[in-house]
Amino acid sequence: MTRRAVLDSNVIVSGLGWLGAPARIIEAVLAGELVLVTSSPLLAELRRVLAYPKLANAIPDGARLADLVELSSVVVEPLSVFAVVEDESDNRVLEAAVAAGADYIVSGDGHLLTLGMFQGIPILTPAEFVSTVLS
């Protein structure tokens, strides 16, 4: 069975623009080794982040890349609204993971990583995910 993961926007952006563990995760998605799960709120955040001027220089055509991420993902519509962490956008990650029955949440965000696990879903850094899940 293919594993399902929700990737925080920071992981997707890093994976699209640079080398390293996030890029390896994006490669796993493209190779069919991993199912990327997202939601409309997470896609909206990704589009917003990719439009930042400093990122637009490093990752041209961010809107098109966000469209490709959407097409490469299972898009869920969360039924629950959580207020678990201070940063509202991080709560959207948790909502998508629960709605999808995801196997993992992958993030570089301290608020999420501090949780360690949410409703039985492990929250890992990209490096941890690559070394323990994709190795």
Side-chain angles (χ1 to χ4, degrees):
M1 184 174 136
T2 306
R3 294 161 293 219
R4 298 162 59 97
V6 174
L7 306 182
D8 201 347
S9 294
N10 58 56
V11 176
I12 295 173
V13 169
S14 295
L16 293 173
W18 293 272
L19 298 175
R24 171 65 185 101
I25 296 168
I26 297 297
E27 290 169 6
V29 170
L30 295 174
E33 301 168 29
L34 179 68
V35 174
L36 178 58
V37 181
T38 190
S39 66
S40 296
L42 293 180
L43 287 166
E45 179 187 6
L46 178 63
R47 286 184 170 88
R48 182 179 53 78
V49 169
L50 286 170
Y52 290 164
K54 69 178 187 177
L55 282 179
N57 291 332
I59 304 174
D61 215 356
R64 194 164 144 235
L65 279 174
D67 291 343
L68 289 172
V69 168
E70 181 174 8
L71 290 171
S72 303
S73 303
V74 172
V75 180
V76 298
E77 293 304 325
L79 301 175
S80 302
V81 176
F82 299 125
V84 177
V85 291
E86 206 173 296
D87 185 344
E88 278 303 309
S89 63
D90 292 338
N91 288 309
R92 304 301 79 84
V93 172
L94 300 174
E95 293 162 3
V98 169
D103 299 301
Y104 300 94
I105 295 169
V106 184
S107 179
D109 186 283
H111 294 110
L112 290 173
L113 292 169
T114 299
L115 294 175
M117 187 171 290
F118 184 73
Q119 293 194 8
I121 305 168
I123 304 171
L124 304 172
T125 67
E128 290 169 335
F129 185 78
V130 168
S131 67
T132 61
V133 178
L134 295 181
S135 60

